[in-house]
Each structure stands twice: as C-alpha cells, then as structure tokens.
Amino acid sequence: MNQIEELIYFFTHNKNLTKEQREKRDKLLARDVVKPKTPVATYQIDKSKGHRPGLKLSYISPKGLKQFLLDFNQDEILKYTCHLIDTQETINQIREETNSPEYNFDKHRLLIADRYKALKERHKWPKYKMVSLMNAYLLGDLNGMFRRWSSNCIIDNWNYINIRSWAKDNPGIIPNPGKNIARKQKNNGYTLPKAFIAKHSGNRVYRFGDLVLFFKSLFHIRRDNSLRSIIEHVTKNRQDIELNFSEDNFFDNIELLTDVDKLIQAFLRIVKICAENHSNSEVKLMLDVSFYNKEGYTFFVIHHKNSVYGKSLKNVMERIGEEQSNLIESQINGLCDLFIEADFGQGEYARVNLWDEATEMRDTRIEKMNGVKYLLRF
C-alpha cells in the first residue's frame, strides 16, 4: 500500500470524523480518486430538506442492525430466547447467573431483561424497527401497556402474565425445552393459550418453544429458514405473477441477520408497485429474483422483466416518487440500501442509488436491459 492509498484508507476508516468532514471527504474522493468506467451524473442534495429530494427522512445505516443482531445471537443468555434449551450445561449457566439452586423462570426473565438493556446501551439505544419488535417480545408490557409484535400481532412474550402464572405452577420447569430436557423434566414447556400460523412461513406455533424459534426466524435467514421458502409461501396464492428464481444467482445457503418481517413487507410492496405500473393487465408480471453475495454485501434483487420505468430518468433524479418514498420510509430505511436499474425509455438505461449513505444521488449508465430491477443491498 503506497502513501496515497494509506491516506485514503485512513480517511475512509476513521470513525472520529464529523458529519461535515465525512461529506467533504466523500466529495473529494468522488472528484479526485474515484474514476468510474461509465458516465456518472451527480445531484447535490439540500440536507435541510432531507437525505433525498422529495423525502424528508434521515438515513439510518443497516450495518448497525446487522451487528446488533449478531451480538444478540452470540450472547450466552440472550441467545436462548431464540433457541431451545436442550442441555444441562445451559441450565446450570442460567442458575449460576441468577444465583439460584434450581431453574427459576422469574429470575431468568429478569436476567434476560438486564442483558438486553446492557446490549442496547452498548449500541447506544438503537432505533431500528426490529428493536421495537424485540422490546415487545423480551420485555412485554411496560407501564401496563400490552404490546403486540410482528405481522402476526402476537401478545405472548417472556413477560406475559400467562407464562408467569404457568411458571409459578411449574417451578423449576424450562418453558422452551429441547427434546432432551423435555424428556428429562417430563414436560414440553409452556403452551400458548391460542396457536397461530406464522404468516411468513406457514408454520404452526402452539408451544413456547415454537414461539422462540418463530422469533429466531424473524431475524435470521438461513438454509432451514430460507428466503426461497418464505417467498414461495407469501406468493403462493398470487395468480398475477410468474415468479422465477435465478438458477445462477439465488443461493439458499446464504445466512443473513436482518429484519425478516420488514424484508418481506418490502418485497411485497415492490411487487405491488410493479403490478400498479404494469402496462398490460392481461399479461402476468414476469418477476425474476436473485439472492447472492458480492463485494462484501448481500443482494436481494427483484427484476420486473416485462416493464419500462414509469418516470423518465431526469424526473427520478429530481424527486423520488410517492410509491418509492413510502417504501423507503416504512420498510427500507435501516433495513438495507436501495438501488434501481431500469429502462427509463428514450434510450436511457441507468442505475440509481435511491437510498444509501451517499450524500448525492447518481445515475450510472448501464448496458441495455429489459424492465426494472430493484436491488436491496444488505
């Protein structure tokens, strides 16, 4: 690494720069260092009006959410709010942490609350929508207010009165046991008052152990909770689309820590946007989806193949439309970055960074293509 490269590395990785210094750095790098192979047009954003024209909203980076969920999943106490407890060693650790001669649910839930509070403090009390869901699941009712969580509007949680009452009647019993512990304690754990079907997977949830695994599925995409299976489930009754998974660029072995609820909401909202802008109602929407890793990021791409973008490139750069603004505000911000690649008509084919950390919107000219691509970058 030469001196110029070292200098660039220092400024691009220095976390102590002020907001103004970072903006100045990005402008200088864009002007003097980055030399794109294709023509790039830049548009300065008036920060007093928001991060993007037509959308008064501050940018929230998705990187923090990923790290928060990773730290949560690796915490020796918190991780058993999203895993079954199936070893005596785990029970012994909880007993030691709660200073109890035997497993005590009340002390366990209070320990969970303390560890979760400490995690949020380390992450400077993050404002992600996923954190609000986790608050309701782990802490339950606060100040007498019952809070439902997830798209299923669930009221059961680690602090719900029903499970606390059950725990008093079943002292020393694990509420979310794996098969080994369930066999040993001769009890399958707490059963929910009312079973429900998970909207994103179709799985039935009727025991507390099921609820714990359901919660896990809401922030961890992996082979046994694959994005493919989720998409197939949420679109199984759609007769207006022809959905294809890319043979070369859809990988089921990718693991992704994210807000799965918001991800699926974003996907369905994008499909809705595609349907509303589809020019021929008698022809099905042709949608290709991809899911792959590239250059340190994970990409989820929805390609509406038989379409032309509804606005000219010039209009897109001047102001983000209402449909995309609502998508960004309700689902995308804090979840991922959003780009579009499209045939904008008039022979213009370009990639636009609708929502990312850059202080400027850019249209980068690309090779001729069919339709419109929404690229979600995690």
Side-chain angles (χ1 to χ4, degrees), residues 189-206:
Y190 172 65
T191 300
L192 305 183
K194 184 177 181 180
F196 67 89
I197 303 298
K199 288 187 176 182
H200 71 289
S201 66
N203 294 334
R204 185 168 181 258
V205 178
Y206 66 103

Side-chain angles (χ1 to χ4, degrees), residues 49-63:
K49 297 181 180 179
H51 190 66
R52 286 289 187 269
L55 185 56
K56 294 183 178 181
L57 189 67
S58 298
Y59 174 79
I60 301 176
S61 171
K63 296 177 183 177

Side-chain angles (χ1 to χ4, degrees), residues 9-174:
Y9 183 87
F10 170 76
F11 279 110
T12 55
H13 290 75
N14 188 341
K15 297 181 179 180
N16 296 319
L17 297 178
T18 65
K19 183 178 180 181
E20 291 74 17
Q21 289 172 331
R22 291 197 302 271
E23 291 180 358
K24 183 67 173 178
R25 173 201 65 192
D26 293 341
K27 291 178 183 177
L28 292 174
L29 287 175
R31 186 193 70 186
D32 299 330
V33 178
V34 181
K35 300 182 184 300
K37 295 180 180 179
T38 54
V40 174
T42 63
Y43 294 74
Q44 184 64 41
I45 303 303
D46 183 348
K47 300 301 287 183
S48 66
K49 297 181 180 179
H51 190 66
R52 286 289 187 269
L55 185 56
K56 294 183 178 181
L57 189 67
S58 298
Y59 174 79
I60 301 176
S61 171
K63 296 177 183 177
L65 175 61
K66 181 179 179 180
Q67 189 60 52
F68 180 82
L69 293 174
L70 179 62
D71 291 346
F72 178 90
N73 197 44
Q74 292 181 342
D75 185 280
E76 291 301 317
I77 295 299
L78 295 177
K79 72 179 182 181
Y80 288 104
T81 63
C82 54
H83 292 81
L84 301 179
I85 296 176
D86 205 30
T87 67
Q88 188 60 45
E89 289 77 11
T90 301
I91 298 174
N92 291 341
Q93 182 179 7
I94 295 171
R95 286 176 45 242
E96 291 175 5
E97 293 277 354
T98 56
N99 193 27
S100 302
E102 65 175 3
Y103 175 79
N104 183 298
F105 175 77
D106 274 337
K107 290 185 177 180
H108 184 197
R109 68 177 178 81
L110 292 175
L111 174 63
I112 289 169
D114 288 342
R115 293 290 276 262
Y116 182 56
K117 178 182 178 182
L119 176 65
K120 290 194 292 185
E121 286 178 344
R122 292 200 302 274
H123 284 263
K124 300 180 179 179
W125 301 94
K127 302 297 183 182
Y128 296 102
K129 295 181 177 70
M130 183 69 200
V131 175
S132 297
L133 180 150
M134 296 169 76
N135 289 342
Y137 168 67
L138 297 171
L139 306 178
D141 61 303
L142 295 177
N143 302 319
M145 297 288 291
F146 291 104
R147 297 183 296 171
R148 295 183 180 272
W149 52 280
S150 88
S151 293
N152 275 94
C153 296
I154 303 161
I155 198 167
D156 291 278
N157 57 72
W158 279 86
N159 194 33
Y160 194 46
I161 188 171
N162 287 15
I163 191 172
R164 292 167 64 179
S165 176
W166 172 88
K168 289 181 180 179
D169 295 335
N170 296 273
I173 300 299
I174 306 299

Side-chain angles (χ1 to χ4, degrees), residues 159-342:
N159 194 33
Y160 194 46
I161 188 171
N162 287 15
I163 191 172
R164 292 167 64 179
S165 176
W166 172 88
K168 289 181 180 179
D169 295 335
N170 296 273
I173 300 299
I174 306 299
N176 56 319
K179 290 182 179 180
N180 292 329
I181 297 302
R183 190 180 303 113
K184 184 176 180 179
Q185 67 183 15
K186 298 180 181 179
N187 191 311
N188 289 318
Y190 172 65
T191 300
L192 305 183
K194 184 177 181 180
F196 67 89
I197 303 298
K199 288 187 176 182
H200 71 289
S201 66
N203 294 334
R204 185 168 181 258
V205 178
Y206 66 103
R207 291 199 178 107
F208 197 65
D210 300 327
L211 188 69
V212 162
L213 297 179
F214 166 79
F215 169 67
K216 173 77 168 180
S217 73
L218 293 182
F219 73 86
H220 198 172
I221 295 289
R222 59 182 190 175
R223 187 177 289 277
D224 63 356
N225 184 47
S226 72
L227 186 58
R228 182 193 300 267
S229 64
I230 293 172
I231 290 174
E232 287 176 336
H233 178 74
V234 300
T235 60
K236 65 179 181 180
N237 295 322
R238 295 292 296 260
Q239 302 298 319
D240 59 329
I241 63 175
E242 181 180 316
L243 184 66
N244 296 299
F245 294 89
S246 171
E247 294 184 3
D248 299 322
N249 274 321
F250 199 105
F251 300 94
D252 293 314
N253 62 345
I254 291 177
E255 293 201 22
L256 177 64
L257 294 172
T258 190
D259 186 336
V260 175
D261 233 8
K262 289 299 176 187
L263 170 57
I264 299 308
Q265 289 177 29
F267 168 71
L268 292 175
R269 194 159 198 158
I270 289 171
V271 172
K272 182 174 181 289
I273 292 172
C274 292
E276 290 175 347
N277 290 278
H278 193 54
S279 58
N280 189 344
S281 60
E282 296 181 358
V283 178
K284 289 185 177 183
L285 281 72
M286 296 178 60
L287 299 180
D288 281 5
V289 290
S290 305
F291 188 51
Y292 57 89
N293 292 328
K294 184 178 181 181
E295 298 176 351
Y297 294 99
T298 297
F299 287 87
F300 176 39
V301 181
I302 302 103
H303 184 186
H304 183 191
K305 298 186 72 174
N306 53 339
S307 178
V308 175
Y309 201 74
K311 297 172 65 176
S312 71
L313 182 57
K314 179 178 181 296
N315 292 147
V316 170
M317 300 306 296
E318 290 173 343
R319 184 180 180 87
I320 295 178
E322 183 178 358
E323 294 172 335
Q324 286 75 17
S325 295
N326 291 336
L327 170 67
I328 291 168
E329 184 171 2
S330 300
Q331 283 87 31
I332 294 298
N333 193 28
L335 174 74
C336 60
D337 293 332
L338 177 65
F339 304 82
I340 54 171
E341 292 181 357

